[in-house]
């Protein structure tokens, strides 16, 4: 976490994987959604979203931040910072793919992946860890926890950010997200809950 927050070099390298699914009937360069799992890793939820998005003509790339590191659970084993680096590496890779439109790559995450999606929109983190020649076109965070306050936490990407949350969620309460979104909206950001 300290290395991520300061941008210090020297962390141990990790080889992770992702699964690219291209729609069968779409041609040309495709819009793409990077899917990022929650604490339990890639499962049926990500597969279902990939099916739905592929049916709409959108490619998907499901990032697995756990398996390559030999971890079983994000909550206990892996920092959100490492996962933010993972999605920026996925963006850099996808931006070079001949079938992917580099200007139309969105990030969608669930639970801890939603946290990574939301905070991955911070300009500070993109500058420290993101590719110089690519940026996510949109950020779609599903039931993230919005409880961490980062330095320059209100300086976010000038891209649409959408947070999807349940009012009855008692594991990850929506109230902190409401407050954060309202603060960002007052600052003129394109954020909606």
């Amino acid at each position: 976490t300290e290395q991520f927050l300061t941008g210090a070099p020297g962390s141990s390298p990790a080889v992770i994987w992702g699964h690219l699914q291209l729609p069968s009937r779409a041609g040309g360069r495709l819009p793409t959604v990077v899917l990022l799992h929650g604490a339990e890793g890639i499962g049926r939820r990500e597969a279902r979203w990939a099916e739905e998005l592929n049916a709409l003509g959108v490619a998907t790339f499901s990032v697995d931040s756990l398996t390559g590191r030999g971890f079983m659970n994000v909550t206990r084993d892996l920092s959100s910072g490492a996962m933010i680096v993972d999605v920026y590496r996925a963006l850099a890779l996808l931006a070079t793919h001949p079938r992917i439109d580099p200007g139309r790559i969105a990030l969608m995450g669930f639970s801890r992946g939603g946290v990574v999606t939301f905070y991955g929109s911070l300009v500070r983190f993109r500058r420290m860890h993101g590719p110089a020649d690519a940026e996510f076109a949109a950020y779609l965070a599903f039931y993230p926890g919005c409880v961490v306050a980062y330095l320059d936490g209100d300086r976010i990407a000038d891209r649409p950010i959408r947070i999807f949350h349940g009012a009855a969620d008692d594991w990850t309460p929506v109230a902190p997200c409401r407050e954060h979104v309202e603060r960002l909206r007052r600052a003129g950001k394109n954020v909606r809950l």
Side-chain angles (χ1 to χ4, degrees), residues 21-34:
Q21 289 181 244
L22 302 173
S24 59
R25 295 181 304 238
R29 295 182 75 123
L30 301 168
T32 304
V33 174
V34 174

Side-chain angles (χ1 to χ4, degrees), residues 22-23 25-31 57 59 97-101 104:
L22 302 173
R25 295 181 304 238
R29 295 182 75 123
L30 301 168
H97 195 285
R99 292 289 314 280
I100 305 301
D101 181 343
R104 295 190 299 160

Side-chain angles (χ1 to χ4, degrees), residues 3 10-18 63-71 77-78 82-83 85-87 89-90:
Q3 286 177 326
S11 61
S12 300
V15 177
I16 64 165
W17 68 273
V63 174
D64 181 348
S65 288
L66 289 174
T67 306
R69 291 181 169 99
F71 295 154
D77 295 331
L78 189 61
M83 294 176 72
V85 172
D86 293 348
V87 296
R89 296 300 183 270

Side-chain angles (χ1 to χ4, degrees), residues 9-136:
S11 61
S12 300
V15 177
I16 64 165
W17 68 273
H19 181 72
L20 178 63
Q21 289 181 244
L22 302 173
S24 59
R25 295 181 304 238
R29 295 182 75 123
L30 301 168
T32 304
V33 174
V34 174
L35 299 171
L36 188 60
H37 59 77
E40 66 286 347
I42 289 181
R44 183 69 193 132
R45 173 185 50 212
E46 291 76 22
R48 177 62 192 250
W49 275 104
E51 290 170 12
E52 295 288 331
L53 291 164
N54 285 172
L56 297 171
V58 177
T60 58
F61 187 74
S62 299
V63 174
D64 181 348
S65 288
L66 289 174
T67 306
R69 291 181 169 99
F71 295 154
M72 298 296 292
N73 185 287
V74 168
T75 306
R76 114 182 133 241
D77 295 331
L78 189 61
S79 77
S80 296
M83 294 176 72
I84 290 173
V85 172
D86 293 348
V87 296
Y88 279 132
R89 296 300 183 270
L91 173 63
L93 177 66
L94 290 169
T96 66
H97 195 285
R99 292 289 314 280
I100 305 301
D101 181 343
R104 295 190 299 160
I105 302 171
L107 177 58
M108 176 188 279
F110 310 94
S111 189
R112 174 64 76 86
V115 170
V116 169
T117 299
F118 185 57
Y119 292 114
S121 70
L122 270 63
V123 171
R124 173 178 164 224
F125 295 157
R126 183 175 52 81
R127 286 185 179 156
M128 283 194 303
H129 303 290
D133 57 349
E135 184 176 353
F136 286 112

